[in-house]
């Protein structure tokens, strides 16, 4: 399973990259705003700064809701760097934009997916990735991981190549559950990735190993 980090924070992206497990980055307008990145030029140069850190795909979201606007923005975004994947919302014009970009060989990530039907449409339109938001579904007492499984089954039935990118991942158990059901990618915060490496028995065991080594080497 590929690990993407879901942030526009350069420090966190660097940290995840240095850990050696980072396969890409996803961003959205809210994450950009959270870092205080506003204005088109600043946003575009921030995407470039992200691409300069990572080796994998970087999702950059359009903010237009009409087909022409999405196409214009998407074509501008892919000029920034070959790592850019155009993030398109799951709306009617978005489906048309997915088809347009797929025919042009431009990679896309269809965002704001909350149902299997939406994921099926995105795959038929040729999306490279679909992003079902599992955390936001869990927030409203709906089974986010269940949706990932359902989409994987549908894609497998027909051999769709669209990759299932579990988004809105909030904690380490989400990551483990995504891996159990076979999600292609998960995107989440650095805290969730770092939480995977923690176990109290590891800390206790290491403390004991180091104490015993120190005892044996203190003469
Ligand atoms: O990038 C989209 C998605 O991952 C957002 O997550 O935590 O705002 O629901 P969240």
């Amino acid at each position: 399973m590929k690990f993407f980090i879901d942030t526009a924070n350069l420090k966190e992206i660097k940290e995840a990259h240095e850990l050696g497990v980072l396969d890409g980055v996803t961003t959205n307008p809210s994450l950009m705003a959270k870092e205080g990145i506003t204005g088109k030029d600043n946003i575009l140069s921030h995407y470039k700064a992200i691409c300069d850190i990572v080796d994998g795909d970087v999702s950059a979201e359009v903010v237009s809701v009409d087909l022409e606007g999405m196409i214009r923005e998407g074509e501008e975004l892919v000029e920034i760097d070959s790592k850019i994947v155009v993030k398109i919302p799951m709306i009617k014009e978005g489906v048309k934009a997915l088809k347009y970009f797929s025919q042009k060989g431009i990679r896309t990530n269809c965002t704001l997916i909350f149902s299997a039907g939406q994921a099926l449409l995105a795959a038929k339109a040729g999306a490279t990735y679909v992003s079902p938001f599992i955390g936001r579904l869990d927030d409203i007492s709906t089974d986010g991981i269940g949706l990932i499984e359902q989409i994987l089954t549908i894609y497998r039935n027909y051999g769709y190549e669209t990759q299932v990118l579990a988004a809105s991942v909030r904690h380490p158990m989400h990551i483990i559950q995504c891996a159990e059901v076979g999600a292609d990618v998960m995107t989440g915060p650095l805290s969730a990735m770092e939480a995977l490496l923690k176990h109290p028995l590891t800390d206790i065991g290491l403390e004991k190993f180091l104490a015993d080594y120190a005892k044996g080497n203190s003469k």
Side-chain angles (χ1 to χ4, degrees):
M1 183 170 72
K2 285 188 266 184
F3 275 30
F4 287 3
I5 189 168
D6 197 27
T7 185
N9 183 293
L10 297 181
K11 193 171 162 275
E12 287 186 9
I13 294 169
K14 271 184 205 135
E15 250 180 271
H17 174 70
E18 281 161 16
L19 193 59
V21 299
L22 191 65
D23 301 297
V25 178
T26 52
T27 60
N28 62 42
S30 307
L31 293 170
M32 281 285 186
K34 192 175 160 199
E35 298 308 317
I37 315 295
T38 54
K40 190 180 158 191
D41 290 347
N42 291 333
I43 290 173
L44 296 185
S45 55
H46 200 73
Y47 283 136
K48 182 63 188 155
I50 294 174
C51 290
D52 288 344
I53 300 171
V54 296
D55 296 324
D57 290 348
V58 175
S59 285
E61 189 158 340
V62 300
V63 287
S64 299
V65 289
D66 62 301
L67 179 59
E68 245 178 55
M70 286 189 217
I71 290 174
R72 193 181 52 248
E73 275 190 68
E75 286 180 339
E76 205 171 344
L77 286 168
V78 294
E79 285 301 311
I80 299 172
D81 195 289
S82 58
K83 294 169 191 166
I84 294 284
V85 174
V86 183
K87 208 170 174 190
I88 305 278
M90 172 36 78
I91 54 175
K92 199 168 178 179
E93 296 302 287
V95 175
K96 296 177 194 171
L98 291 172
K99 183 73 185 177
Y100 172 87
F101 286 125
S102 130
Q103 281 171 337
K104 291 202 85 180
I106 291 175
R107 294 173 311 137
T108 53
N109 174 358
C110 186
T111 189
L112 291 166
I113 295 280
F114 292 95
S115 76
Q118 292 177 325
L120 178 57
L121 264 182
K124 281 189 72 68
T128 313
Y129 296 101
V130 279
S131 289
F133 280 26
I134 63 172
R136 291 191 196 181
L137 281 170
D138 288 357
D139 287 346
I140 56 156
S141 310
T142 305
D143 183 9
I145 291 292
L147 175 62
I148 300 292
E149 269 188 297
Q150 203 184 0
I151 298 170
L152 285 167
T153 302
I154 292 170
Y155 285 5
R156 215 174 291 128
N157 285 347
Y158 297 99
Y160 287 120
E161 284 175 11
T162 302
Q163 295 178 56
V164 180
L165 191 171
S168 186
V169 159
R170 304 272 174 76
H171 49 70
M173 279 314 291
H174 268 157
I175 302 180
I176 292 162
Q177 289 163 340
C178 283
E180 277 177 341
V181 300
D184 299 289
V185 191
M186 78 82 202
T187 190
L190 178 64
S191 59
M193 290 181 211
E194 288 186 336
L196 291 177
L197 63 86
K198 289 178 192 148
H199 197 288
L201 289 179
T202 304
D203 298 339
I204 293 165
L206 181 61
E207 204 178 314
K208 174 99 171 64
F209 286 155
L210 295 180
D212 289 344
Y213 173 84
K215 260 190 264 164
N217 288 279
S218 62
K219 293 160 199 155

